[in-house]
Amino acid sequence: MPEETESSPTRKRRVIHWNPDAGKEQQRIRWTLKRIAAWAVGGPLALLLIAAVVIRGTKLVFGPQVFGGAPVLTAPVQPENAAAAFATETKAQFAHDTAVKGIAQIAKLPSNHPSQLPQRVVIEKGLIDGEALLDRRDFSGALAKFEQLNRQIDEYIQSISAKQEAQDGFNTIMQRIKELDVSRNLMPEAIEAANTAAAESSRYFKEGSFLAAKRALDAGFAELDKLVQARTELIGSSLLRGQQALSQGKKDAAASAFSTVLQMVPGNEDAAQGLKRAETIDRVYALLLQADGQEKQGQFKAASESYRKAFELDPLSARAQEGQSRAARLDKDSRYNNAVAAAQAAFSRSDWEGAIEQAQSALQVYPDKTEIQALIATSKRNEHVSAVNRALQKGFAAEKAYEWTSAQAAYREVHALEPNQKEATEGIVRAGTMLRALAEYEAKIQEAEKLEQQAEFQRAIQTYNNAIGKKPAYLAPSDRVIQLNKRLQVQNTLVPVTFSSDNNTMVSISGILEPQKVTNKTLQVPPGDYNVVGRRKGYQDVVMKLQVRAGSTPPAFRVVCMVKSG
């Protein structure tokens, strides 16, 4: 086992040497791997063979009693003891075979410790002694001898196995003592007991007592296990205290508990995570309390946001994560339920547009709700029927008020919703007819006004009369039309016009007098503007303007062609 020494200013450590020859200064022969292997395999076998040859030779020369003592006189075997004797002989032979197999197994085991050779010699001698007893047919003595030998063989085999375990265990226990030294204050007696056990194991190992060395190490490990158990319990309680402090938002208490764990186990992940969480746990706890209050007040959206902020500060907070998920779900449920209630209320009062709008808001939350989709479909059908009826009623009302343009627009709105709607079609025809009549009436009135302005009073009166014929019966004349009628009534009379000529000039008045020769003439002329033309062969034409207005007689005038042409 390797040599390991530790020094401390306050405690003396025991130095353990596994090498029995440590400290000797004499020069040793240099061993090569080949030489070591040869001696390890051949040496023990050679010694066993030499011991066997010596013992066999001595028995041949001096007789078998040299190792077994004087011959034993046996009494004749009685018939009733024959079965028992046979059983003893069988057991002795079986024990002998077991011993032979055990020795063969021992021969295959490594022998690299000074204490092993004497033990093998003793075992070999025990086999020889037992066989001598068999030769003398002392089956009882042989059975006892072989049973003892088999126990020695088992102990030897166990010892060889324990040797490697003791050597490895020593290194392990020293490493564990070093690792657990940080927790010494929990159970200082356990550390001391483990050090003592390691020292005893080293001593037993040097003496060749490998089983004792292993037992000492087992006792030392048991003491360390007590310390580990105490440390585990303290770590567990500290982690629990830390988690409880985190759940209560107690920053300092959580940091203290997790720091205690890290002092004993610097790499403990739970404690490291807990200590990191403790840095912001006071703010996280405040946000969680705020979120709880908002959630109780039904402010689910605000609660979800508070939980989200808490989760950002502490990604390991299950309470924040679950709260955010729950509040978000409750917020969706609340928005959905409110929208559904509003849609149903609108539906009940036949507010189809409002029902559709609210139902669509509900579907934005949960798009797969078939009952809401059905509500929307029904509302749309009802809204269509309602829209058709509203447009028809609007058309009827416009007709009643003689607002034909509005009526026509309303009926066309019905057609846009329901193209073959009979009442709308008839309404469009009626409104169109009235609009055309109104348009013709207005056009005739405007034409009459224009003719009046041009002093074509007779045509103006005729056009006005045509306009009145086009006017719908319900339509009362406007002030403008009434004034036009009055003005035309004034001009609807004959005015005397007197003129003279030389009885050689052909005189004509447009629309009133055909060309003729006159001397003096008086005509009853309707008001208006006329051209008076005088024509005579060989003379230039004479053209005169004549204005005739009601209530005013124009002065007499003379029409004579006096200027020769050419």
Side-chain angles (χ1 to χ4, degrees), residues 38 88-89 188 211 228 244 279 302 454 478:
T88 303
E89 179 181 0
L211 285 174
V228 170
Q244 290 174 341
E279 295 175 359
Q454 295 173 354
S478 65

Side-chain angles (χ1 to χ4, degrees), residues 9 127 153 260:
L127 178 63
I153 291 172
T260 298

Side-chain angles (χ1 to χ4, degrees), residues 414-427:
V414 174
H415 264 189
L417 296 170
E418 198 169 315
N420 297 323
Q421 217 283 336
K422 180 180 178 181
E423 291 177 300
T425 302
E426 294 173 352

Side-chain angles (χ1 to χ4, degrees), residues 1-2 16 18 165-174 198 202 217:
M1 301 177 77
I16 301 173
W18 280 99
E165 294 181 16
Q167 190 168 5
D168 295 340
F170 179 82
N171 297 329
T172 302
I173 198 170
M174 296 307 296
S202 177
L217 287 177

Side-chain angles (χ1 to χ4, degrees), residues 387-401:
V388 169
N389 290 333
R390 283 198 306 271
L392 275 176
Q393 294 302 321
K394 185 165 62 175
F396 295 154
E399 273 197 81
K400 189 174 181 180

Side-chain angles (χ1 to χ4, degrees), residues 44-71:
L45 293 175
L47 289 173
L48 289 174
L49 289 174
I50 291 171
V53 170
V54 171
I55 293 171
R56 291 289 184 182
T58 303
K59 289 174 66 176
L60 290 173
V61 174
F62 299 101
Q65 69 277 6
V66 68
F67 292 108

Side-chain angles (χ1 to χ4, degrees), residues 145-214:
K145 188 66 177 179
F146 285 131
E147 286 178 343
Q148 177 185 8
L149 178 60
N150 283 329
R151 287 193 296 271
Q152 291 173 338
I153 291 172
D154 289 341
E155 289 179 358
Y156 182 84
I157 293 174
Q158 293 176 10
S159 176
I160 296 302
S161 176
K163 175 176 178 292
Q164 187 61 42
E165 294 181 16
Q167 190 168 5
D168 295 340
F170 179 82
N171 297 329
T172 302
I173 198 170
M174 296 307 296
Q175 180 64 29
R176 289 195 65 189
I177 290 172
K178 182 178 179 181
E179 293 173 353
L180 293 172
D181 195 61
V182 294
S183 305
R184 173 186 290 271
N185 60 333
L186 292 178
M187 293 183 67
E189 66 279 7
I191 295 291
E192 293 301 328
N195 275 318
T196 302
E200 291 177 353
S201 177
S202 177
R203 177 170 59 81
Y204 286 133
F205 192 90
K206 291 177 182 179
E207 295 172 356
S209 300
F210 306 127
L211 285 174
K214 182 179 179 301

Side-chain angles (χ1 to χ4, degrees), residues 452 457-458 460-462 464-465 468 481-495 527 549-551:
E452 180 199 15
F457 299 114
Q458 297 307 309
I461 291 170
Q462 183 181 3
Y464 173 83
N465 290 334
I468 295 302
V481 173
I482 292 173
Q483 294 301 321
L484 174 62
N485 177 269
K486 288 180 179 180
R487 292 195 302 273
L488 292 179
Q489 287 291 342
V490 170
Q491 301 300 329
N492 191 18
T493 184
L494 296 176
V495 177
R549 299 290 184 270

